[in-house]
Amino acid sequence: MEENNIPPAMPPEMPVTPPPSPLQVTSDNRPFADRPGIKILFIVLLSLALFIPQAFIYALISEREGRSTSAKFEIGASYGGMQSITGPVLTIPYCYPEAKADPIGVVTLLPAELNVEAGINTQTLSRGMYDAEVYDSDIRIAGQFTFDYLKGLPVPMSALRLDQAVVTIGVEGLKGIQSLSEFAFGGKEYELEGEGASAYGVIDTDWIGYGDDDVVVAVCDDNDGKRLAAVVDLTSVADSASIPYSFDMSLKGADMLMFTPVGKRNVIKMSGKSTDPSFSGMVLPVSREISGDSFSAEWLVSSINRGYPQAFMGSKPLYSYSESRVGTKFLTSSGNYQLSDRTLKYAILVIVLTFISVFFSEIVAHRPIHILQYLLIGLALVLFYVLMFSLSEHVSFGLAYILAAIMIITMIGLYILGALKSRKFAAIVSGVLTVIYLYVYVLLNLESYALLSGAIGLFIVLSVVMYISLKIKWK
């Protein structure tokens, strides 16, 4: 029997399975919560759920801003409050029986020229952590009146009781007056009186009784604040082409100093020291200059810019004097509240991009991160806004933003290091978060191009995320 020299059959070679790519998602029997689809769904829901603590932070910012506004108002009110000066205004009673309507009443005459010079020095007062800017001012008001504007009224000059005229000057806060000169008018000087004076009862009741005819009329009741008043005798200047006037006052106040251009021609000059003056009113100044903590501004206002004439029947114009005021505001900056509010609007961007970077990191590292850990990372991201806002009430907003960002980036970076056991991915997540916070801070400091820069930045970020997602083999 021949020996069979055929070698025994070799067992079939087993196929060699290549190791999975680091960017490949395998379909193993991983827990349900760790599957990519479920993890993505949870991240979306968590990002939406984090709007709830953001809403509470919005409410916190609004509440603190309201408290700051209230504290500043109280500080300013105790120092004199917002100041506005209107006048001088002449109110002259008349008795004209021949008139078909209103045989007894008053006519009001506004000055032909009004020249104002105000020197202002501001200072900051504090109450706790809240600051308010207040000011001391030295004001000189001068100009002239003319009776020419009365000729257009249906009351002749002979019917006017020139010896019983009243000059009034509206001052928003009489308690802010530190010193007041006499009112020089037509070569005479008259003492201006405030509330409680007995100038025909003008200050006590806003009404005046004139002579034996028992004429009762309102005087300069424009609801623009309190008034200074004096009874003046115009008999000696009835034939004058113009009647000069002038007076000086030292006035303290807060928030703003406004003047009403009641003259036919008005020149209003304001200068002084303030950290952040803002010019406002019916018209802006024709010239202004801000250098360091000093400023100057000049308004040239004509009567054609306003809605009331130089002379009219009665004591009130058809339009309020206050609608034509011009002046300067001295408001302490509340920028940290506005910037905190704007920063919070970018919260969803920070949260989503951070979650995406963490999600990609756990896939590449093949170390799943529990959904609870995602929740903790999300809460840390929300905590950033509380830290930033609370710090901004004590230091500058920029420093508060940087300190809060360093604290949160360090916290999340160390947490990722502990979760993934990889310094590489911890550094990547920390770097991504640093870039995001820098990007948001740049947007906060851009005004005209903030929307454009934000749109371009989002385009670039989404492009990068889409490119990285293509490198992952989803199964």
Side-chain angles (χ1 to χ4, degrees), residues 1 63 66 156 383 402:
M1 186 174 180
E63 186 269 335
L383 178 61
I402 293 173

Side-chain angles (χ1 to χ4, degrees), residues 29 199 231 262 460:
N29 295 324
V231 178
V262 293
I460 296 174

